Amino acid sequence: MHPMVIVDEPGTCPICGMELVPLKAGTGGGSASDKPAGERKIKYWQAPMDPTYIRNEPGKSPMGMDLIPVYEDEAPGGSQISIDPVTAQNMGIRTAVAGTRDMSRTIRTVGLIAYDEPKQFSINSKIAGWVEKLYVNETGQFVKKGQKLLEIYSPELVSAQEEFLLALNNRSALASSSFPEIAEGANRLLESSRRRLQLWDISQDQIRRLEKTRKVEKTLVLRAPYDGIVNMKMVNEGMYVKAGRELFQISDISKVWIYADIYEYELPWVRVGQRAEVILPFVGEKSLTAKVVYIYPYVEPKTRTVKARLILDNPGFQLKPDMYVNVRLKSETVKDALAIPAEAVLYSGEKQTVFIALDGGKFEPRPVKVGIQDDNGMIEIKQGVLPGDRVVTSAQFLLDSESQLREAIAKMLEVQSKKTAGGKDASMSADDMSGEDKPAGSDPAGSKQGKQGKAEDLF
C-alpha cells in the first residue's frame, strides 16, 4: 500500500502494518545485467549524447562520436518494467509494429476570394475642375477599355488649348521665315504645347480634332484605361474635384485570388506549385482546380495562420470577391517514412516518449523525435524507433507512471547501497520513508524485526 517504504529485510509496513512484499529482481530499472559482456545480446547502438539516435549497427553519431551498444537487459530511456500477461490484458495494453510507409495529408481549410491586385486600377484627374457629365454612375458597373467615364471642365485646360492653337498659328506664320532658328523655335513651342495636353490625359484623337477644327473644347473626357468593374465610385455629377483626387477604382475580375488560411503545423505540407481543389458551397459543391502560387512570409497575428495565395480563372464571373470557399490541398507523398500510430507518443514538455514492448512482458520507455502526421493517424518517427519495434498504443499513461515510480525506487536503492558501502545502516527508517515526524525514542512496529535476514533480497 505504501511503495515508498523499502527495507532490506522482511517485516511489516510501519504505516499500515501489512506484511512487506518482495521486490522482484530486474524491476528497479537502473542497473544492467550481471551476465558477462560476451553473453549479453546487443539490442541496438545508440549515440552517447542523443538517446533518440539509434541504429542497428555500429557507426558514428551526427556529432562524430562512436555509437555505444545497448544490451537487451538495459533500459537507457528510463526504467524498464515487467507486467504479467493477465495484468497487461486487464490494463488494455495494445501494440502496433513500427514500419515504413508512404505518408500524405489533405489540408482542409477556408479560402477568401479577393481581387487580382495587379489588375486593380485607380482613376483620377490630373487637373482641377468641375464634373460636367458622369457617364458611369453606378458601383459594380462593367466598363470596357476606352469607354467614357466622365467629362470635366477646367479653366486650365481651356487655357492650354488656346495656347496650343496660338502655337499652331505661330508655326504656320513663321514656317516660311528666312531665319531657320525662328522657324525651329516655333516648332518647339508647338511641340511643348502638345506635350502639355498629352500629360493632362488628352487623347491623340482630341488633339488632332483640335488641330483640325481650331475650336477650343470646354471639357476633357476621361476614359477607362482597362476592362473591369467599378468597385468604388467617389464622384458625383457637378462636383468640383482637385488634381490627383481618386474618382474611381476599376478591377478586372476575369481572374481572382484566393487566400487560404494555413495553420503553422500544416506548413510542412504546403508547397508553391501545389495543386488545390476549390469547392464552391454556394453552387452545389462545385469543384474547381487551382494552384498555389505564393506563400506569404508572415503569420496573421489574429488568426495565427499563414496565407497561401491561389489563382483561379473566373470567365463567367461566378466567383465574386469576399466570397468564402472551401479549399483542399493535397500534399506530395513522403516516401518510405518510418511511422507509428500517433496515439503511441506521450508528450511531456519538450520530450516525446514511446513505450517499446519487449519479450517476456517487459516494456521500455524510449525518447523519440517525431515528424509529420498524416490523415490516417500515423506520425513519422525521425529518431528513437527502429523498423519492426512494437510500440504500445494504449495504457501508456499507466506504464509511464509505473516506469517513473520504478526509476525513483532505483535511485533510492542506489543511495542506500552507497550508505552501506560507507558503513552506515542500509535500512531506511519509517520516518524517512513516510515523511511523518515521530516522537523521540518511539519504536515503530517492525523496525526491529528480521535483522538476520538476507541483505541481498529486497522487500
Side-chain angles (χ1 to χ4, degrees):
M1 298 294 292
H2 300 89
M4 76 287 296
V5 178
I6 304 173
V7 296
D8 58 357
E9 54 192 15
T12 58
C13 177
I15 299 176
C16 62
M18 298 179 66
E19 291 290 334
L20 300 178
V21 296
L23 185 64
K24 295 180 181 180
T27 57
S31 61
S33 174
D34 294 333
K35 294 181 181 180
E39 299 179 11
R40 300 167 66 190
K41 186 177 179 181
I42 296 176
K43 184 165 46 176
Y44 53 79
W45 298 78
Q46 182 184 68
M49 301 298 292
D50 184 3
T52 65
Y53 188 85
I54 61 176
R55 291 294 183 267
N56 279 324
E57 56 187 7
K60 296 285 187 179
S61 71
M63 300 179 64
M65 303 176 68
D66 290 332
L67 300 182
I68 58 175
V70 176
Y71 298 94
E72 289 188 345
D73 51 13
E74 293 179 340
S79 298
Q80 188 180 98
I81 59 178
S82 298
I83 300 178
D84 62 85
V86 176
T87 304
Q89 185 176 6
N90 293 336
M91 292 172 61
I93 294 177
R94 298 193 306 270
T95 61
V97 179
T100 57
R101 57 184 292 148
D102 296 341
M103 302 181 68
S104 64
R105 187 182 182 93
T106 300
I107 298 173
R108 296 170 175 85
T109 184
V110 176
L112 179 66
I113 299 176
Y115 294 101
D116 186 352
E117 290 182 0
K119 297 295 183 68
Q120 287 186 289
F121 312 102
S122 176
I123 309 301
N124 57 72
S125 173
K126 293 183 174 64
I127 58 175
W130 287 263
V131 178
E132 292 279 324
K133 181 69 175 178
L134 195 61
Y135 294 100
V136 176
N137 202 18
E138 297 176 3
T139 303
Q141 183 176 344
F142 284 87
V143 296
K144 295 289 185 180
K145 182 178 180 179
Q147 181 179 335
K148 290 182 178 181
L149 298 176
L150 57 83
E151 290 184 7
I152 184 170
Y153 163 69
S154 172
E156 294 178 323
L157 176 62
V158 173
S159 298
Q161 292 180 81
E162 291 176 347
E163 290 176 3
F164 176 76
L165 293 178
L166 287 175
L168 187 63
N169 294 332
N170 186 47
R171 188 193 66 170
S172 300
L174 298 177
S176 58
S177 174
S178 57
F179 297 98
E181 295 82 1
I182 296 177
E184 183 64 24
N187 288 331
R188 288 197 301 270
L189 181 61
L190 177 63
E191 291 303 319
S192 176
S193 300
R194 188 192 306 275
R195 182 64 175 165
R196 184 181 182 188
L197 293 175
Q198 291 174 347
L199 293 177
W200 276 350
D201 289 342
I202 297 179
S203 65
Q204 292 292 341
D205 293 338
Q206 290 175 299
I207 295 176
R208 282 194 293 267
R209 185 166 58 252
L210 176 62
E211 190 173 358
K212 182 178 180 180
T213 62
R214 305 295 177 98
K215 183 179 179 180
V216 175
E217 296 185 2
K218 178 183 177 182
T219 58
L220 166 68
V221 177
L222 292 183
R223 299 179 182 271
Y226 308 96
D227 297 341
I229 62 169
V230 178
N231 61 296
M232 188 177 292
K233 181 181 78 72
M234 292 160 287
V235 62
N236 295 313
E237 196 166 296
M239 179 184 292
Y240 176 79
V241 296
K242 294 182 178 181
R245 177 177 176 177
E246 188 175 35
L247 307 177
F248 299 97
Q249 280 188 4
I250 296 178
S251 300
D252 184 0
I253 58 171
S254 59
K255 286 187 177 182
V256 293
W257 286 3
I258 297 178
Y259 295 117
D261 288 322
I262 308 298
Y263 287 102
E264 298 174 42
Y265 70 90
E266 297 172 328
L267 284 176
W269 296 99
V270 183
R271 296 286 185 272
V272 173
Q274 186 173 335
R275 290 171 61 86
E277 182 183 8
V278 179
I279 301 173
L280 312 182
F282 48 86
V283 194
E285 300 295 321
K286 181 180 178 180
S287 178
L288 303 173
T289 301
K291 185 172 66 173
V292 177
V293 297
Y294 188 68
I295 300 174
Y296 286 81
Y298 54 83
V299 175
E300 294 289 340
K302 293 182 179 179
T303 61
R304 304 305 305 169
T305 58
V306 175
K307 300 291 186 184
R309 185 205 305 162
L310 288 67
I311 290 184
L312 202 60
D313 290 330
N314 189 26
F317 306 114
Q318 193 174 38
L319 302 175
K320 297 171 175 56
D322 294 328
M323 274 184 170
Y324 283 102
V325 294
N326 295 324
V327 179
R328 293 179 182 174
L329 295 168
K330 184 68 175 179
S331 71
E332 296 180 1
T333 301
V334 179
K335 299 290 186 180
D336 298 329
L338 179 61
I340 62 173
E343 62 266 22
V345 182
L346 289 174
Y347 295 89
S348 176
E350 297 181 354
K351 298 190 303 181
Q352 296 89 39
T353 307
V354 299
F355 274 85
I356 306 297
L358 306 175
D359 295 335
K362 294 183 179 181
F363 299 91
E364 174 193 331
R366 192 181 296 173
V368 296
K369 290 183 179 179
V370 300
I372 55 180
Q373 184 173 343
D374 67 2
D375 292 330
N376 299 319
M378 305 296 289
I379 190 168
E380 180 188 12
I381 300 296
K382 294 183 176 180
Q383 292 181 190
V385 174
L386 298 174
D389 285 345
R390 299 192 64 86
V391 296
V392 179
T393 59
S394 64
Q396 309 97 301
F397 291 101
L398 297 176
L399 296 177
D400 187 46
S401 300
E402 181 71 11
S403 173
Q404 293 186 27
L405 178 61
R406 296 286 175 86
E407 188 175 8
I409 292 174
K411 290 179 179 179
M412 289 190 292
L413 292 177
E414 184 179 357
V415 172
Q416 285 184 324
S417 64
K418 291 181 179 179
K419 288 183 178 181
T420 303
K424 296 183 179 180
D425 189 3
S427 63
M428 187 174 292
S429 68
D431 294 342
D432 295 334
M433 302 309 300
S434 64
E436 299 178 359
D437 295 333
K438 301 291 181 179
S442 62
D443 186 15
S447 61
K448 298 181 179 180
Q449 299 182 33
K451 292 296 183 179
Q452 63 272 27
K454 295 182 179 180
E456 62 270 20
D457 295 331
L458 302 179
F459 287 82

